[in-house]
Amino acid sequence: MEQIIQQILNGLTIGSIYALIALGYTMIYGIMKLINFAHGEIFMLGAYMSYVGIVKLGLPFYAALIFSMVVSGFIGFLIERIAYRPLRNSSRVSALITAIGVSMLMQNLIIKIFGADIIALPKVELFRPIMLGNIVISGNQIVIFSVTIILLIILEFIVFKTDFGRAMRAVSTDAEAASLMGIDVNKTITITFVLGSVLAAAAGTLVANYYNNITPLMGVARGLKAFIAAVFGGIGLLNGAVFGSFIIGGLETMISMTQYSAWREAVVYFILILILIIKPTGLLGKKGGQKV
């Protein structure tokens, strides 16, 4: 039983990371109907910016976290303005190809600047581990849970309690009608990109601190799994992204406990195929559901 509880905690840790990434996917899709496949690279960029903050600039962890979120948010702003906005009225295929191109560009820029090798980070333990019998909640897990909960609360407040959040939901429902009501659609979409990038950067920083290493390809698999989590829960739904992330994270962890751990990746991708066949709107998705 203790081993199961320990694995549940590990699953919640992975799910928290996926949730921060998946929220960016689902917000951007909800407001633009665009799958931003460069989002995983924003996650990767956040990890590298935390490395710059901690190792190169000598910042404490939380200052490096904020630094990473600010830089990545600015990059998200540039990506939307330069790469996506000119294609807003183009076909979805054009936007998809552009997203893949932006993803490859970011990977190669990071390789050019930092090199292709894995970079080790110093271990930063901000809290002492909590021992409950043989169950261990590490200090880094406490940080991940705490930061994730805080960011989810802030995002929930922004989306449902502020004028900007109402603008986001209006644009998500009908951008043309929202524009006629005086909402600046371009500004709303840009800020949504920035919010998604900030959340992904936070996830990158938390992962870098948890595993103590970074690599230019670290955003590919995690970004794809976060996308699967968003689709599983219901793409375009905030609660769906979080729900799907914890399910995928928990499932990965539980499979790792069995003799079929090598099939962990395949099972996650199989879930994507299955959910698209059985319920394309996701488990929580339904006609008339609340979008971003």
Side-chain angles (χ1 to χ4, degrees):
M1 179 59 69
E2 288 182 339
Q3 184 181 5
I4 292 175
I5 295 174
Q6 184 70 63
Q7 292 302 322
I8 290 174
L9 289 172
N10 294 337
L12 290 174
T13 303
I14 297 173
S16 297
I17 298 300
Y18 289 164
L20 292 176
I21 307 172
L23 284 168
Y25 277 114
T26 207
M27 284 193 299
I28 293 170
Y29 180 84
I31 204 168
M32 285 186 63
K33 300 297 182 290
L34 167 69
I35 303 298
N36 180 23
F37 281 116
H39 196 62
E41 275 55 56
I42 296 291
F43 160 83
M44 176 267 293
L45 176 66
Y48 272 86
M49 289 303 101
S50 70
Y51 161 75
V52 170
I54 293 173
V55 176
K56 302 297 184 181
L57 302 179
L59 299 176
F61 173 77
Y62 290 114
L65 173 63
I66 295 172
F67 172 76
S68 170
M69 293 165 71
V70 170
V71 173
S72 300
F74 178 69
I75 296 299
F77 166 80
L78 292 179
I79 290 173
E80 193 280 327
R81 289 297 298 270
I82 297 172
Y84 295 142
R85 182 174 294 188
L87 299 174
R88 193 168 297 165
N89 297 320
S90 301
S91 67
R92 293 189 182 183
V93 173
S94 299
L96 177 62
I97 293 172
T98 300
I100 295 173
V102 171
S103 172
M104 296 179 66
L105 174 64
M106 292 184 64
Q107 286 181 23
N108 283 279
L109 284 176
I110 290 296
I111 291 173
K112 184 69 174 178
I113 297 171
F114 295 96
D117 296 332
I118 296 175
I119 298 177
L121 274 71
K123 187 173 182 179
V124 179
E125 196 78 24
L126 300 172
F127 295 96
R128 292 182 179 179
I130 297 176
M131 305 290 295
L132 302 173
N134 292 325
I135 301 170
V136 180
I137 306 176
S138 71
N140 287 335
Q141 285 180 314
I142 296 173
V143 172
I144 290 174
F145 296 147
S146 302
V147 172
T148 300
I149 290 171
I150 290 170
L151 291 177
L152 290 179
I153 291 173
I154 292 174
L155 180 63
E156 185 82 5
F157 176 80
I158 290 173
V159 172
F160 294 105
K161 299 296 183 181
T162 67
D163 290 339
F164 172 72
R166 283 186 283 273
M168 286 177 64
R169 287 180 279 133
V171 173
S172 174
T173 302
D174 191 327
E176 185 176 353
S179 178
L180 293 173
M181 294 299 292
I183 294 174
D184 189 335
V185 175
N186 286 332
K187 179 181 178 181
T188 302
I189 291 174
T190 299
I191 296 178
T192 302
F193 260 83
V194 172
L195 282 176
S197 299
V198 164
L199 293 175
T205 301
L206 294 174
V207 165
N209 187 55
Y210 187 67
Y211 293 104
N212 302 121
N213 64 73
I214 54 178
T215 170
L217 298 179
M218 64 184 292
V220 177
R222 290 186 178 94
L224 185 55
K225 289 177 185 176
F227 168 69
I228 292 172
V231 173
F232 182 79
I235 190 74
L237 304 172
L238 295 181
N239 56 352
V242 176
F243 173 75
S245 297
F246 284 114
I247 293 296
I248 295 297
L251 183 63
E252 271 195 283
T253 304
M254 291 304 174
I255 294 174
S256 298
M257 296 174 57
T258 70
Q259 59 181 331
Y260 303 104
S261 59
W263 290 84
R264 181 180 62 186
E265 308 284 335
V267 169
V268 174
Y269 301 137
F270 176 74
I271 287 175
L272 174 62
I273 298 172
L274 200 61
I275 199 69
L276 289 175
I277 294 173
I278 298 175
K279 200 171 188 295
T281 56
L283 291 184
L284 302 185
K286 59 182 180 180
K287 188 175 181 180
Q290 177 65 59
K291 290 184 178 181
V292 173

